[in-house]
Amino acid sequence: MSDDDSYRDSYRDISVHKMMLMDVVRTEAYERALRQMVKPGHKVLDFGCGTAVLSMFAARFGADTVYAVDRSAFITAARAIAMANHIENIRFYHDDHTSLVLPEPVDVLVSEWMGHFIFHEAMLEPLVFLRNRYLRPGGVMIPDQIRFIAGFVTDESFYEELCFFRQNPYGIDFSPVAEAPLYQTNLEFFTPSQISKTLVDLGSMDLYVVDATPEVLEGAARPKRKETVYGLAGWFSARLTPNICLETGPNDPPTHWNQMFFPFKEPLTLDPAREVTVRIRPPKPIGKGEDTWSWTVTDGSTLIQMDDEYPFDPIATVGLLGA
Ligand SMILES: C[S@@+](CC[C@H](N)C(=O)[O-])C[C@H]1O[C@@H](n2cnc3c(N)ncnc32)[C@H](O)[C@@H]1O
């Protein structure tokens, strides 16, 4: 890794790992999945091993060899943790997915690679790269499928907070930036009462065959009743095995992923007479195009189009001020 990369290596910090391991819903779901899928003699690749918690589960459930891979300098701590637990069949690789060289294909590829609303950490392409290179034919992916869901936010307070600058706080006209907060995604923890019963299925991704970040997540639903909504909440369900799913929605036990809030610039009234269509464009992987979210919702009569690159150009404004 370059100095620049290590500077940006947020996974050096124990607090990030503590936060993930304190997410019992997440960690125990992976533990159950590994207990079900790892068979004695298996070779397992743990991509992005962090503390090596998943590697140690795999070793505990009978794996012959576990290849634990992480580009973070924290891997030194992971190795020490495995030694403290007297586990000797984990081989550690301080590598990026591109530099990794394993001696053999694996039976199981496990990874907790999912960022906020999946695409925030851009680990999908590296995972696909390693799957293509190292998963033996008929091998197992954990997770093997991701489903995307959007709900409509009915609680006005989330919207009101984002409209703060519209009220000229302190008697100052903030209009040049007043709309900007509405164009940003935010992580929120929604309760079931803050989300409409009308949910939109945005489709799913099969991790055995997917080869790139999808261009767009799209789905439609017939509203169950007339109601005013202020934005979208996006979350995912990760299928770890055919009968173990890790759910991250407002109706599920909380996880560290929360939900992603995609606000609207103006409220929208859902009407059972009009089917509503949602489109969410994820950011492109690093260096491959727009790295911002964009989202639209339409019921055929109203179209709300949002892009988390707010159409306010500070450079142009400075230019104007200087003229
Ligand atoms: C979400 S954490 C999961 C950590 C651990 N598996 C767990 O479940 O607690 C993702 C890990 O992947 C590593 N990582 C991200 N991208 C990587 C890449 N391209 N190559 C190697 N490691 C990567 C990060 O350094 C981080 O430790």
Side-chain angles (χ1 to χ4, degrees):
M1 272 199 309
S2 69
D3 287 351
D4 193 32
D5 287 341
S6 13
Y7 174 70
R8 282 185 274 147
D9 176 7
S10 60
Y11 285 100
R12 286 173 86 108
D13 184 347
I14 185 70
S15 63
V16 183
H17 297 284
K18 179 162 74 58
M19 188 252 304
M20 290 187 293
L21 268 78
M22 286 181 74
D23 183 342
V24 177
V25 174
R26 173 201 90 115
T27 311
E28 288 188 349
Y30 269 89
E31 183 181 21
R32 285 197 307 277
L34 287 162
R35 186 194 299 270
Q36 196 178 98
M37 304 312 280
V38 173
K39 306 289 175 227
H42 268 168
K43 313 280 180 187
V44 177
L45 166 56
D46 175 7
F47 171 50
C49 66
T51 52
V53 59
L54 306 183
S55 299
M56 289 186 277
F57 289 155
R60 187 186 281 171
F61 299 134
D64 173 76
T65 309
V66 184
Y67 299 108
V69 180
D70 207 295
R71 66 182 176 187
S72 167
F74 192 84
I75 198 158
T76 311
R79 193 180 279 117
I81 297 167
M83 278 174 66
N85 285 276
H86 313 290
I87 300 177
E88 286 168 4
N89 57 342
I90 303 178
R91 292 201 208 156
F92 288 92
Y93 290 74
H94 185 195
D95 271 293
D96 188 62
H97 60 289
T98 53
S99 59
L100 180 68
V101 180
L102 292 185
E104 59 188 344
V106 297
D107 304 288
V108 178
L109 169 46
V110 64
S111 182
E112 197 282 78
W113 59 273
M114 299 87 79
H116 296 292
F117 202 40
I118 292 296
F119 300 106
H120 223 66
E121 266 182 80
M123 276 181 79
L124 177 63
E125 270 74 3
L127 177 82
V128 165
F129 179 90
L130 292 182
R131 177 202 66 197
N132 293 348
R133 185 164 277 200
Y134 290 115
L135 188 64
R136 72 155 171 79
V140 170
M141 297 282 291
I142 303 176
D144 69 356
Q145 189 194 76
I146 306 289
R147 175 159 293 281
F148 301 93
I149 302 110
F152 292 97
V153 177
T154 52
D155 186 330
E156 191 175 1
S157 63
F158 291 94
Y159 176 73
E160 275 171 356
E161 195 198 310
L162 298 179
C163 294
F164 170 72
F165 287 116
R166 283 184 184 169
Q167 296 142 20
N168 295 353
Y170 311 105
I172 295 170
D173 178 358
F174 282 97
S175 56
V177 296
E179 302 305 304
L182 289 153
Y183 284 79
Q184 286 178 345
T185 54
N186 289 297
L187 284 183
E188 300 287 357
F189 176 71
F190 294 104
T191 61
S193 66
Q194 294 168 328
I195 302 286
S196 163
K197 299 257 179 295
T198 304
L199 298 182
V200 184
D201 181 347
L202 296 176
S204 63
M205 202 163 68
D206 179 343
L207 292 167
Y208 286 106
V209 296
V210 68
D211 57 7
T213 297
E215 284 292 321
V216 65
L217 308 174
E218 182 172 343
R222 175 74 56 180
K224 292 194 193 305
R225 63 189 190 90
K226 202 163 190 164
E227 60 190 332
T228 304
V229 295
Y230 302 91
L232 298 165
W235 66 90
F236 65 90
S237 160
R239 193 175 75 178
L240 301 186
T241 75
N243 56 6
I244 299 175
C245 270
L246 175 52
E247 311 282 359
T248 66
N251 286 301
D252 304 308
T255 69
H256 77 286
W257 282 286
N258 291 10
Q259 292 90 39
M260 193 170 273
F261 181 36
F262 299 87
F264 297 155
K265 56 190 166 196
E266 69 224 27
L268 172 74
T269 303
L270 296 182
D271 186 334
R274 292 194 298 270
E275 187 177 78
V276 64
T277 300
V278 170
R279 287 189 190 88
I280 300 180
R281 275 184 194 281
K284 296 269 188 239
I286 296 153
K288 295 215 170 130
E290 287 296 322
D291 63 352
T292 54
W293 294 90
S294 61
W295 57 105
T296 64
V297 56
T298 180
D299 63 1
S301 78
T302 307
L303 168 68
I304 298 183
Q305 192 147 12
M306 309 291 296
D307 188 324
D308 104 9
E309 189 134 1
Y310 174 60
F312 166 75
D313 181 351
I315 309 289
T317 310
V318 169
L320 273 177
L321 292 176

